[in-house]
Structures are given as structure tokens and as C-alpha cells.
Amino acid sequence: ANKGLVCLQDYEQYAHQNLDKNALDYYRSGAGDEYSLELNRTSFKSYRIRPCCLVDVSSVDVSTQVLGTCVSLPVGISPTAMQRMAHPDGECATARVSDKYPTTATSKVMCNKDWGVFAAAGDAGTVFILSTLSTSSVEEVSAAAPHTTKWFQLYIYKDRELTEKLVKRVEDAGYQALVLTVDAPVFGIRRSDVRNKFKLPPHLTLANFKGLHATDVTESKGGSGINEYVLSLFDPALSWEDINWLKSITKLPIILKGILTAQDAVRGVDAGAAAILVSNHGARQIDSTPASIEVLPEVVKAVGGRVEVYLDGGVRQGTDIFKALALGAKMVFVGRPALWGLTHSGQQGVKNILDILKWELETTFSLTGCNSVQNIRPCMVVHKSFYHKL
Amino acid sequence: ANKGLVCLQDYEQYAHQNLDKNALDYYRSGAGDEYSLELNRTSFKSYRIRPCCLVDVSSVDVSTQVLGTCVSLPVGISPTAMQRMAHPDGECATARVSDKYPTTATSKVMCNKDWGVFAAAGDAGTVFILSTLSTSSVEEVSAAAPHTTKWFQLYIYKDRELTEKLVKRVEDAGYQALVLTVDAPVFGIRRSDVRNKFKLPPHLTLANFKGLHATDVTESKGGSGINEYVLSLFDPALSWEDINWLKSITKLPIILKGILTAQDAVRGVDAGAAAILVSNHGARQIDSTPASIEVLPEVVKAVGGRVEVYLDGGVRQGTDIFKALALGAKMVFVGRPALWGLTHSGQQGVKNILDILKWELETTFSLTGCNSVQNIRPCMVVHKSFYHKL
Amino acid sequence: ANKGLVCLQDYEQYAHQNLDKNALDYYRSGAGDEYSLELNRTSFKSYRIRPCCLVDVSSVDVSTQVLGTCVSLPVGISPTAMQRMAHPDGECATARVSDKYPTTATSKVMCNKDWGVFAAAGDAGTVFILSTLSTSSVEEVSAAAPHTTKWFQLYIYKDRELTEKLVKRVEDAGYQALVLTVDAPVFGIRRSDVRNKFKLPPHLTLANFKGLHATDVTESKGGSGINEYVLSLFDPALSWEDINWLKSITKLPIILKGILTAQDAVRGVDAGAAAILVSNHGARQIDSTPASIEVLPEVVKAVGGRVEVYLDGGVRQGTDIFKALALGAKMVFVGRPALWGLTHSGQQGVKNILDILKWELETTFSLTGCNSVQNIRPCMVVHKSFYHKL
Amino acid sequence: ANKGLVCLQDYEQYAHQNLDKNALDYYRSGAGDEYSLELNRTSFKSYRIRPCCLVDVSSVDVSTQVLGTCVSLPVGISPTAMQRMAHPDGECATARVSDKYPTTATSKVMCNKDWGVFAAAGDAGTVFILSTLSTSSVEEVSAAAPHTTKWFQLYIYKDRELTEKLVKRVEDAGYQALVLTVDAPVFGIRRSDVRNKFKLPPHLTLANFKGLHATDVTESKGGSGINEYVLSLFDPALSWEDINWLKSITKLPIILKGILTAQDAVRGVDAGAAAILVSNHGARQIDSTPASIEVLPEVVKAVGGRVEVYLDGGVRQGTDIFKALALGAKMVFVGRPALWGLTHSGQQGVKNILDILKWELETTFSLTGCNSVQNIRPCMVVHKSFYHKL
Ligand SMILES: Cc1cc2nc3c(=O)[nH]c(=O)nc-3n(C[C@H](O)[C@H](O)[C@H](O)COP(=O)(O)O)c2cc1C
Ligand SMILES: Cc1cc2nc3c(=O)[nH]c(=O)nc-3n(C[C@H](O)[C@H](O)[C@H](O)COP(=O)(O)O)c2cc1C
Ligand SMILES: Cc1cc2nc3c(=O)[nH]c(=O)nc-3n(C[C@H](O)[C@H](O)[C@H](O)COP(=O)(O)O)c2cc1C
Ligand SMILES: Cc1cc2nc3c(=O)[nH]c(=O)nc-3n(C[C@H](O)[C@H](O)[C@H](O)COP(=O)(O)O)c2cc1C
């Protein structure tokens, strides 16, 4: 299944060769000139790892806790819309992987001979975030992956009743947190989607909205169908006051996704956010936002430990995860990589993606002298400018 | 008309494939090694946008005021010579677009389905600057676009009587400001024009000079015809004292175009300039001048709010405009992009260019939490070095 | 023999065209995205040499002393595993070159007409480090190159008895130091080795382990055979305490190889290390470690002259050696270049490599006004940022 | 003659297509990896020009004085060996151009129609430096260009008598200064010359040495013939004391060529040098020396106006000259560009090169508001880092 595919870039290449143009462009693209898209990747290269040697790493444990829940590895799945374009099982398959993901990892597990299968019998799993714009409904996913730690990514609609009903269904279906996306009052301009007049293939629907607007994205009125959908339905008037409204209709912890400045992070914490997810939305909203890894230190500093801070955007290998953790993230998330795995072989493909990241992260832990996330010290990752003065 | 052309680069590509070499090279080229030409573009990438989230952006208004006049968007048309090489309607078409351009924009307008036509019924329009070296005369343009806010870009000739007559015609034709170009005592060396022995096609004339020198540019004496023209007719002795002379012959406000240092900006304001247009003349004069966006902050600081500061050079997308505004520009202008639009489809093409910029800028406003130009704060744009220290 | 091959890159190219994929990838590759692999090379370019002129350089002597032993040039051979994949003579050939290498060098020697043969009659030689994972045994190498200054690179096995016996054999065979590799509790992920399921060709063995595990690397259980070997046999529990254990079983001086921070360097010296070898293992362990040359200054400063500091990683020409010496290294080592020479023509090829480096270094000495290593002053090499402020 | 060739790069391209490999590689190459060769060019790009506007530039004069002698433009010809490989007239042609070069330049001259011939009637000319290793003798060149300001570049031979005789011939032939090259006790390793076993074509000789060693360079003993020559004959023992010796045998002013640090510059001035020529020998000696333009500011500062400072290395266009002048050079020199002109069309080709540089420099003067070299102020050129902080 995974023969010859040994890193996430291999899966990326596979997906780029096998997805149809409409879906591929939607998954791949970033806003505008795609400068921030590139930056999300290249910025990671600006940080150098300073390993500690001669530490007993006979046992290495990459598990951690997020919002009080154990996860097998500090990598979760970011919400990405419309996963059934990649594979018929869509969000259900992705959610199932997170369910099964193993808690404990030892260096034995890192043995290459095992790496294709080392996650066969896990327990704690990791976090799966379902998008509002999913092609599998809240309930379907819940049924498919009952034991997975599931969070729900929420877009707030002008129609607040509809939104409230959605939140209730999310609670009922056993999701454990709401991830409120705060960077999308409208959608960014992704040029290839405009060129393609992107639409959801007719056999798919926005599954959370059966009956109402569920098939709106299957047509384009001239531009990107998804942008037109967002423009007509999402609430562009969303403001800090609405956090109170949201808290009034749910008891679920609220994570703010899309924060890019210290100021907004502090405001979010003050407003009662349970966690901050530093993200530039996979560089799909405003081109020339900083890379998320560039922003992480200032947010971590501003938040000062009051809540957990997460990051997504450009995470592609174990060292990226390590860098984010050293710079203060409690957890990272991946968006596109899960889509590549899904495209390759559904649930197994997504599992391969997490396997590779876990293998790479465990190797990084071993080679930096970290037995567990607690051992990672801030001084272990520095910006390259650290070395550019004699 | 604009199928598949969704950003300014698409129009650039179209123009590069459809213009003849003589005109294309003239429009495209920069001075010397064209390093500053590249810099005008790449420098914008060095600035990062720091968006604010959770701001009510249900209504977004990108209009502003320049010299007390309302404009629908903070993007005007820079003076570029000889526009009829791009399209038979030349400057008249470009001026007409500026006339019709709509004032108010709301997020409704941003809907993709509309974007090809959303400017159908505007009112305030934007600023059009006519070049001294235009292929349509001051009067023709005025007749073609009577309601447009028109400024006239002035080159001062050794023959001051001729210059004075020209200024009077400009006033009579209803132009509202003079844009004195201060960076062109001679013209920069644009190598392809020298190679091509650039000349104006014989069916066109420098329309403001019927009878006198109007056809001088239709021949080359061995090098670039336009440079030869400038060398023989423009006044290389022009100095700060001449601002007084110009003020003595006109009541129109005088904008200085081509300022690249704080010192000259201050001197210009002291000399009575109504505004400063930071510009390196599209990198066509001295290669290795700084990019205009690099220079903007020091000029804004030096001017200290005494007059408005504008910028042109390398503006190609909504985020570029946003960056210039955050760094203190009241307005930006585009030169080559209008020529690309003109080449594509005359008036409609130029309109498409402005439509795209407006759409991109409105999107940027929405995604940064800015309802209007007043909401843009300096801290929202930083140089990338901001992120390069831990 | 060396016609047309005038620099190390020429030998690299030859090797890349003549090795089979399994061996080539093993020799060439670095960890992960191979960013640090590239960095090991490009970082050298960030340092500029400031030469002194008008110094009498009629005699130039590049010899030095390491751990009290004279060497003809400040370049030794880093331990690289399994050299017989490159040439049937493997480690024996490489060791013999180091033996014969001439001590004295004068500018006469630099004469081009001689450069192919100028090392014909040497005496002091240089240092050869034999890898634990060699395809020639400790004893074979010793017999082949009895007069060479030989050090033994040690990996500590879970099986400490086996390790102890190995150390005794090393002592008995006349090796003069132990080079303890501290950056390899597990092996880094080198993607092409995983793809190739790297294994040692069946006619070769890990010669130091006849009978026990000697042929383990000739098979792959699904991934890189060498990584699987390391994972099952090396002691991942190795810690600073084990330095004491090692000192208790041997009187040989212990050099720590793989130090990348000031902290670990100090700790190593405190623990009794005889020298520190700054190295990122040829960028084969963790991708995005700093280049070794970037790290050198901080280690030199921290060690403060208490022990000698060496460097390997990316040394490819005389100026690289000069830079490392000026930044405080007593000696540098090369890994891959010796493999390229070996691939080209066995012992003669390795000799060519050292000849070229010596020739280049002597030229650099002459042109910087240094007659000997004592004349190299720290101010003669600066980071390029030195020049980037006016 | 110069059709289509409008900048120095055009002549470079012509030469690269028309020279035979032996000569081309010799002319083109730099030391080692040729990193400094590239740096000599790219470093100029790191400096930005800050023009002043609205200055009366109706008359622009680029002439200056060096060592008390008037020159028409602040660009002379660096000594390059063996120019007859490029054209039968060799050094004589190059020297003749410098002779005829016109003093006064006005903006009228810049008119494109004239630029191919504007140097037809000059007077003051510029400085030509003849290499010791020329293929035309001191006397031949003097006879060919009696009115040119000629300097002689001196290499000091082990055979001091020979050297002394050469200096006397130089004085007798009317040369006005000695340019002592201080960066070449041996020659740098230029790989293609080693590969080509570079030699002077048999019909040419080192013309200053008729009878003695004149034909040594027409053979190779295995490597670069010129390096072998230098190694056997030049005095590697040359030191600061020898400046006194040189002063004892000549009354000509002595210019030190090849200084790259403030320290050596001061030492040179203290030793009685009449001027300092900042140069890295066209990046042909040590790879990874700084670019000459990088070094210029520190040398200018250290010299503090006690003597004139010149620069060569990478000067290719008018803005490069302007930058060097603003950073404190009194004059710049070009090496390879003269060889390209010579290759193209002998004397006329070299003249074209100087014409282009003069035209570009006059344009730069006009566009920066400088009427003469006295008007260039240090603040008009800044390192790009000037703009990288907000
Ligand atoms: C195809 C795609 C769809 C996405 N859909 C959503 C979404 O519905 N809601 C949301 O908050 N973020 C969405 N995102 C952003 C992701 O949650 C995440 O921030 C981003 O993908 C992380 O960057 P990465 O793809 O480089 O890992 C989407 C991203 C992609 C690539
Ligand atoms: C083809 C062309 C012609 C121009 N003609 C004039 C002119 O006549 N007068 C003037 O002041 N500037 C002229 N400019 C400069 C523009 O006004 C403006 O500064 C520049 O084009 C802005 O850069 P941009 O093209 O990157 O937007 C010209 C520029 C171009 C590209
Ligand atoms: C093929 C190969 C095998 C290596 N084997 C070992 C080894 O067995 N033990 C060790 O300590 N280092 C080993 N290294 C690392 C080298 O000792 C050295 O640190 C590195 O090669 C230096 O970088 P360079 O190849 O750029 O000169 C190996 C490196 C390579 C390329
Ligand atoms: C082909 C060639 C031959 C040279 N010969 C000499 C020489 O004989 N003496 C000397 O002092 N410098 C010599 N130089 C160096 C030049 O004087 C000068 O420093 C260098 O060419 C300037 O750089 P540029 O070629 O980039 O202009 C030579 C350079 C070249 C390219």
C-alpha cells in the first residue's frame, strides 16, 4: 500500500497526480500569489534544532494531553471541507484513523521493519476536527468513529437558529469541543477555484445541511462556488460579542482558530476561549500573512500559559512538530496531508500519514535527547539568525 | 471578455503575448539591469499583514478622499505615455473607466458571481492622470470623460511658453491638479528601447503638440526615439525654483511625482506641493533605486501629515494596496496594469483591472477586520524582519 | 589517473556516476528533507576571508599537531561505515593514504606540474578514523597501515561485553584514541535508504563482528537495513554516566563526536573528554540541525581552550579548512570526499583528495599571508553580516 | 560595429561566443568555486541609490582627477595579462582608447543618436594600466599611445635585478605610476585553467621579457602554465619592507593593488603608498574574499583621506561606478570588460565599452542630481539593510 511512499511529500505527489483538477486545485491552493502558502513551508526551515546528546532515550513517548484528554501524538487533524472528493469514505475514514491511533510509542516501534504497521493496536488516538462544510454529517462521523476525540469546527451562519441547531447536534453526537474559525468572515481569493468555477461534484452534499443549502456548493454563479456560498450564508458581522452568544448556547469549550497576533490571542483568552489555534487557514485567506510558525512565539508569550496554544499550517515532518512544540505549541494539526493520505488509500492512507509523522517525531525525540514532551526546552529551537553573528 | 483572467498577472501575460515588440518593450522595460523593476514587485513580499479577527465586516467601504475629492477606491491610474499603442481608444478609454467607477462597495458586491460586472453603476470613480506624452490630447480626453477626476502629468519643456500654454489648456479642460514629474530631467536607459530604436507608430502622434514636435517620436536617430525627444526638448535645468514659476502660472494644486527621499519630500512640501507621489517611475529611470514601497515609510514620517502622500510602482494586487495604505499612503496608482487591460479589450479591460483590484482590496479589508480606510492601523503591516528574532 | 579531476566536486561527480544506487544513496544522503545537508555546504559561503598582504610566504607549512601528534595537514578522515562498497580495498586503502601523507609542504610543492604527485614521500601523515561499522576489521586496517595515526570511532552496544572486547582489540591493534559518537542513539531517517531497503552487498560483512551480527546489515526487514541494525543493537540508553564506564575500561583518550551546542561541549569537557568533534554526522541524523561551521564558534568559546576542538561536515575545499581553523578548530575531517576518492581509484583516489585539499590550503595560506597554522588569526574570517552595515 | 550591443553584458556574451576555450576560460574564471566572482557582481545590487530631484543638470561633467591628472571619466582600465589573445592589437589598442577619451561631457552628448560616436574628439582620456604579463612591451604600448596616462602594474620577481631593469624601462617609457600588486605571491587556483593546462598561444610572448622567460607561459608542465610561471619566478617573500626597496629604485608614485582590509590599507599608507586600489583581483586569487565594493567603506574610513582610494572588481554599469564613488572611491577600474571590447573589435570595441559606461554614468549623474563628482554625497548610496527596518 505504501510502497515507496516514505514521507508526506510522497503522498502529496501521489495526490497531485491522481486527483481531478477541480478537487486538486481546491485542496492545494492558497490565496492570491500563494506567497504565504510557500512561506508556511519555508519558514520552518528558518528554525534550527539544537539537540542534547547522551540522554537515555531507551524509551521515548510522544503522547501528550490536550484540553485534559490524552492523545498518542501531538498531531491532530485540522478541519478541511469536503473530504469525500478525495475518497468515498471521506471524513469518516479520517475520523476512524484518529480513533485507532496508539498511545504508547517506544523506540522499538520506530524499527523500520514495523513502521508500516506499528499503529495497529492503539488506544488513546488523536484529535479529529470535523469541518462545518463536511461531506459526512456530524452524526455519520460520530457513528463511524465513536471513540475518537472529536472536535467540531464551526462557521457561524447569518441564520443563527440554523447555527444553534447545528451546535446542539454536535453536542448530542459527542463532540468534545467547538473550534470557532475566526479568520473567515468571507473566503480568500483562490485564483484557480475562480478559474475552475469550483463546485462540489453533484453526488456529494454539504452533509450537515440536508435540505437547506446542502447542494448550494454544487453550482457556481460565475466564480468559486464555495466562495459564493460563504458570501451568501456566513455571518460577516461576527464579532467578539458573539463569543458570549456562543457560550450562552453551549457548554463545550471553545477554541479560537485563525488567530495571528498577540493582541487577538489575549482578547480571545479574555473572552473565555479554552485554547488558541494559531493558523493562517493554510494560507487560503489573505496572501502575505506571516507563516503560522513565525507568529507562534508572540502568541505563546502573550497568552502566558493561561490556555493551551496550538498551531497548524505547513507541518510536513517530525522536525516541524518538534519546532512548534519547542516554541510553545501544545499540539499541532495537519490539513492537506490528511487529504493526500485519503486520496491515496482512504483510512489506511491517513493512517500512513500519521504513522510517518509519529515515526519521524519519535526519531527526533531520540536524537534531541527528549524522552517526552516535558523534556523539550525552548532553547532547543532557535531562529537561524541566532547563528549569524560572530 | 475576461474569461479565465482573474488577476492582474493574467492580463500581463495576455498583453505580453499580444503586443508587438516595439510597444511591449516600451511598456514593460525598466532601466539598466531591471533590478529595481524586479524590486518594485518583490519588495511588497517583504511586508506581512497582521489581520484582526472578529470585527463586524458586514459592510466594507474602500472609498477614500484625495485632495478633497471622493474616489471609489484608493487606486488611481498613473500617467503612462502613448496609450494608443495598446488600443485605438488609448487614454480616452482609460479615462472613461475612471469616470464610471462605483463609489460604494459592500461585501455583497464581492460575491464572485458578480465580480465581472459589479462596477456597472458607479458614481465617484477614481483619479485618472493624463501624461504630457499622451496620444490623445488634453481636450479629447476631457470630452471623452467629462466627469472623471482628471489630473495632468506635466513635463516642463525648455520652451517655457509652450509649457505655459499647455498648462492653460489643462486648466481650461477641467483638470483638477498638476502632477509635476521631478525624476525625469533626462530619461533612463531602457536597453530594449535602444535596441529596438523605439519609435511611435506613424499613425499616432503626441497629441498635445499638434504641429510642434508632435511627430518627433515617430523616428529614431539611432537610439530610443523617446529618449532623444526628451533630451532635445525637456528642460534639464529644472530646479526647486521652478516650482515658484509653476505656481505663478497656475492655481491648480501641484503634486510632485518621483520623490524617493525624506529630504526631497520635506523640501517639496516646503515649496508648496499639495501632495507627494512616491515613485521610482516604474523603475525606468535609475536602476537600483529602492522600491517605492521601501521608501514610503521614511517619506510619510518626514511629511508628518502636512500633505497627502501617494505611491506607485509594482502595485499588482489588493494586499499591495493595503500595505501601502497601512504604511501611510493615502492612495496608490497603477501604471502598466492599465496598459495591460487596455491591450486586452480597451475600456472594458481597464475596468476589469480596477474591478479585480477592488474585489481583492475589499476581500483584504474584510479579512483584516477593516470596514474602511480609517480602520487601517500602521501596526497591521510589518516588515518581515519583525518575525526574525525570537 | 586524475586527469581532468581538479577539485573534490569532480570526484563527487565521478562517484555519483559510477556507484550503484544502493551504495550511492547510502553515502550521499542526509536526514529528512536534506536541508542541513545543503546547509553544511552553503554555510561555509557565509564566511568571508580577510587576507593579509605583503607577508613573506616563501615557506608555507600547513602541518599541525592533534592530541600531541604531528600531522602533515589539518585534515583527517572522518569515520564512514562500509567503505568496501566503494572499492575492494575499503578502509585499508583509506588508512594507508593517511599513513604516507607528507609532513612538510613548501610553496615549491604547490607547483602545478607537481600537484598530482607531490605527496610521494611523506612522513607524519594524517589521522584516519575507523568506523565501528567498517567492512575491514580493526586488525586488518592496523596491519595494512601500521604507521598511520589511527583513531577508532566507537558505537556502544547494548551488549556491553561485546563493546568492551571491541575496545580491547582497538587498544591492542595500536589505535591511539577512541572517538565516541554521541549523536546516534538511533539513526536518522534517510529516505532513499528506506526506499531502497538499503543493505550491505552479500559479499561484505561488518568486519569487526565476525560471527556475531556481522551479516545483519546484509538484509532489510522492510526499511533501511542499517537503521534496523542500529535499532536492535546500539544502546539507546547511553548517557553521560557511560563516559565514566568507558574511561574505566580504557586508557585511550576519548573524543566526543557529534556535539552541537556549547552546553554539551562543556559537559563533555567536564566529563573528561580529550577533545570535541563538532559534527552533525554529515547531516544524516536530524534534519535542520545547524551546519557544523555555524556551531563551531559557540563551542570554541565555551570550551575556552581546555581541550582541542575539531569539526567535520561539508568541508570541500581549502578555504573551508581555513575558515574552520580561523574560527577555532584545531583540525577538520572529511567523510564523503574520501569515499569519492576511494570510488575513483582506491588508495590513489583518496590520496588525490588529500593532495587537492593540501594544495588548496597551501594556496590559501600563501594568499592570506599565513606561513603556518599559528599565523591564522580569528579576525581573518568573518560572517558576511560583518559587511552588511555601512 | 556596435549594432545591438548596448550594454557591457552584450559584449560579454559576444566574447563568450567568440573566444577559444583556452583564452575564454583564462579571462573569465575566478578562483575555486567562483563564489567571490559572483559576489563581485551581486554585491553591487545590495546598495541602493537615493537620488535628489529638481537639481539643474543642464550640464553634467563626469571628469575627475587622479593623482593630480585629469581624466574624462572616473573609470580606468585595470591591468589584465596577455590581451593579444583577444585581439592582435592587444594592449596597444586598449591603451590607445584611453588616450583619445574625451574630457567634457554634457547632457547633449548623452543624446542617443550620438552615443555610438560621442567620444570622437576627446582630450584628457583616462588611465590605462599595463600588466607586467602583457603581450605588448612597455615600449610598444608607449609608442602606440604616447599621450595616454599610463601606469604600470608591477609583479616583483625573485630576480630583483630583472625587476629593477623593468622599472627603469617603465620610467623611461613615460609611465606615470607603478601599481604594485600585493595579492599575488602565488596565483589562485582557477580550475578551468588547470583542466585546460592553460598556455599562451605559441605566436605570442610575454613581451616585457624578450629573451628571458618570455615564452615560459607557452607551455604547461601539467597544470595552469601561468600559475607554474608565477610559482617559479615571482617573489613569494615579498613583504612590507620591500616597499622601501621599491621606493629606493624609483621616484614614481606607488599604488598598492589588492588591499582588502582597513589594517593593510593603513599600513600601506604608512609605508608611503600614493594610493590604494581595493581589489580582490577579479576574484581570481582566494575564493570567498569579500567583494571589493563590500570592503570599500572600511578602507575609505581607515585611510581617512590621506591618499586616494580606487576600486576594481565587478564594475559593469554606470550605477556601479556611482555607488563606488559615493562610498568613497576616487576612481574605479574595469578588467574583463576591456577584454570583451577588445575581442569584439579591438580598439573600437574597447572604446564602445568606455562610451557605454560614460553614457550610463552621465545618465546616473543627471538622474541623481549630480553635476559633477563633487556633488556626490555619501548619503546618496546606502546598503539595502537601510530599508529593512520600519
Ligand atoms: C482543502 C481545505 C479545506 C479547508 N477547510 C476548512 C474548513 O472548512 N474550516 C476551517 O476552519 N479551516 C479549513 N481549512 C484550513 C485548515 O483547517 C488548516 O488551517 C490548514 O489546512 C492547515 O494548513 P496545512 O494544510 O498546511 O496543514 C481548510 C484547508 C484546506 C487545505
Ligand atoms: C509605459 C510607461 C510610460 C510612462 N510614462 C510616463 C509619463 O509619461 N510620465 C510620468 O510621469 N510617468 C510615466 N511613467 C511612470 C508611471 O507614471 C508610473 O510611475 C509607473 O508606471 C508605476 O509603476 P507600475 O507600472 O509598476 O505601476 C510611465 C510608465 C510606463 C510603464
Ligand atoms: C556514508 C557515511 C557513513 C558514515 N558512517 C559513520 C559512522 O559509522 N560513524 C560515525 O560516527 N559517523 C559516520 N558518518 C559521519 C561522518 O563521520 C562525518 O561526520 C560526516 O561524513 C562528515 O560530513 P561530510 O561527509 O560532509 O564530510 C558517516 C557519514 C557518511 C556519509
Ligand atoms: C584575464 C585577467 C588577467 C589579469 N591579469 C592581471 C595582472 O596581470 N596583474 C594584476 O595585477 N591583475 C590582473 N588581473 C586583475 C585585474 O587587474 C582586476 O583586478 C580585475 O580584473 C577587476 O575585476 P573585473 O574583471 O571584474 O573588472 C587580471 C584579471 C583578469 C580577468
Side-chain angles (χ1 to χ4, degrees), chain B residues 240 259-270 276 278 295-303 306, chain D residues 50-51 386-387:
Chain B
W240 288 103
I259 298 284
L260 283 175
T261 64
Q263 295 85 328
D264 276 353
V266 169
R267 197 150 178 193
V269 179
D270 289 346
I276 300 291
V278 172
V295 161
L296 182 62
E298 88 173 59
V299 169
V300 167
K301 196 171 163 219
V303 166
R306 292 164 66 198
Chain D
R50 294 166 60 81
F386 180 92
Y387 291 107

Side-chain angles (χ1 to χ4, degrees), chain B residues 33 195 231 236 264 288 298, chain D residues 9-10 49-50 53 57 111:
Chain B
D33 278 352
R195 280 196 194 95
L231 205 48
D264 276 353
S288 77
E298 88 173 59
Chain D
Q9 288 90 326
D10 289 345
I49 294 178
R50 294 166 60 81
C53 65
V57 289
C111 180

Side-chain angles (χ1 to χ4, degrees), chain D residues 79-81 131 153 155 181 257 279 281 284 312-314 316 335-336:
Chain D
T80 55
S131 167
Q153 177 272 324
Y155 284 127
T181 300
K257 173 172 184 285
S279 172
H281 208 115
R284 294 161 76 84
D312 76 15
R316 297 296 178 263
R336 292 177 186 87

Side-chain angles (χ1 to χ4, degrees), chain C residues 38 40 92 105 131 167 195-196 226 258 265 267 280 291 304:
Chain C
E38 192 195 328
N40 267 359
C92 293
S131 167
V167 169
R195 280 194 195 97
N196 296 341
I226 185 67
R267 198 152 177 192
N280 61 14

Side-chain angles (χ1 to χ4, degrees), chain C residues 88-275:
Chain C
D89 298 343
E91 293 82 359
C92 293
T94 314
R96 265 197 297 266
V97 172
S98 311
D99 183 9
K100 285 200 186 161
Y101 218 79
T103 306
T104 57
T106 68
S107 55
K108 178 164 159 293
V109 170
M110 278 185 300
C111 181
N112 291 353
K113 69 187 163 189
D114 287 340
W115 80 267
V117 291
F118 70 71
D123 53 357
T126 187
V127 175
F128 169 79
I129 311 180
L130 183 69
S131 167
T132 290
L133 301 175
S134 55
T135 42
S136 313
S137 72
V138 165
E139 293 80 7
E140 281 175 286
V141 169
S142 194
H147 307 304
T148 296
T149 303
K150 293 176 295 293
W151 297 351
F152 183 77
Q153 176 272 323
L154 182 68
Y155 284 127
I156 296 183
Y157 286 66
K158 291 175 193 160
D159 182 340
R160 291 295 172 102
E161 219 178 292
L162 175 149
T163 310
E164 202 171 334
K165 276 186 199 146
L166 183 57
V167 169
K168 283 287 162 261
R169 283 167 57 200
V170 165
E171 291 182 343
D172 292 348
Y175 289 70
Q176 296 170 21
L178 286 181
V179 176
L180 180 69
T181 299
V182 298
D183 61 6
V186 300
F187 264 18
I189 301 174
R190 303 146 198 178
R191 291 172 188 165
S192 44
D193 286 349
V194 181
R195 280 194 195 97
N196 296 341
K197 302 184 199 296
F198 168 77
K199 28 190 174 310
L200 191 60
H203 67 287
L204 299 178
T205 62
L206 294 189
N208 291 322
F209 301 92
K210 295 229 148 65
L212 181 67
H213 308 307
T215 58
D216 284 13
V217 188
T218 58
E219 52 188 58
S220 147
K221 295 186 182 103
S224 163
I226 185 67
N227 282 27
E228 291 167 5
Y229 175 93
V230 166
L231 204 47
S232 67
L233 297 174
F234 284 14
D235 188 356
L238 207 68
S239 72
W240 287 102
E241 286 71 53
D242 293 301
I243 305 286
N244 284 330
W245 169 79
L246 189 58
K247 283 165 70 177
S248 77
I249 65 159
T250 184
K251 287 278 160 291
L252 290 178
I254 298 168
I255 298 157
L256 299 185
K257 172 172 184 287
I259 297 285
L260 283 175
T261 64
Q263 296 85 329
D264 276 352
V266 168
R267 198 152 177 192
V269 178
D270 290 346

